[in-house]
Amino acid sequence: MVDGRDGKKANVDPKLLELLACPLTKGPLTWDPERNELISRVARLAYPVRDGIPIMLPSEARSLPFEDGLPPRLGGPS
């Protein structure tokens, strides 16, 4: 998967990753370089990174299926 107009994969600065948190759960995020996404395991959401910029809007995030091996969401209906 490529990111943006230059055809290169995005790379997230490790220091930026330490500072970012899921806007819904305030929990940590992990970087998925294959899909250029920041993953919130608790919220089961994948936030896209476009042109090297994390898009931290829940409305832009992709829901993660239960088959991906992540633990289920905490609270609420499943």
Side-chain angles (χ1 to χ4, degrees), residues 2 11 14-15 17 23 29-30 44 49-50 56 59-60 64 71:
V2 294
N11 202 4
K15 290 185 181 187
L17 189 55
L29 299 167
T30 56
R44 302 191 60 75
V49 176
R50 298 183 189 133
M56 304 303 295
S59 61
E60 292 287 320
L64 297 174

Side-chain angles (χ1 to χ4, degrees), residues 10-31:
N11 202 4
V12 174
D13 183 340
K15 290 185 181 187
L16 177 61
L17 189 55
E18 289 177 18
L19 296 173
L20 289 174
C22 174
L24 295 177
T25 67
K26 310 301 185 236
L29 299 167
T30 56
W31 172 238

Side-chain angles (χ1 to χ4, degrees), residues 3-70:
D3 172 51
R5 294 158 262 167
D6 59 5
K8 296 180 182 176
K9 282 192 174 186
N11 202 4
V12 174
D13 183 340
K15 290 185 181 187
L16 177 61
L17 189 55
E18 289 177 18
L19 296 173
L20 289 174
C22 174
L24 295 177
T25 67
K26 310 301 185 236
L29 299 167
T30 56
W31 172 238
D32 180 353
E34 293 298 316
R35 292 185 177 229
N36 291 326
E37 295 174 328
L38 292 169
I39 307 297
S40 172
R41 292 180 179 272
V42 175
R44 302 191 60 75
L45 293 173
Y47 296 96
V49 176
R50 298 183 189 133
D51 296 324
I53 300 168
I55 310 300
M56 304 303 295
L57 299 171
S59 61
E60 292 287 320
R62 177 176 67 87
S63 294
L64 297 174
F66 285 104
E67 304 85 51
D68 60 10
L70 296 176

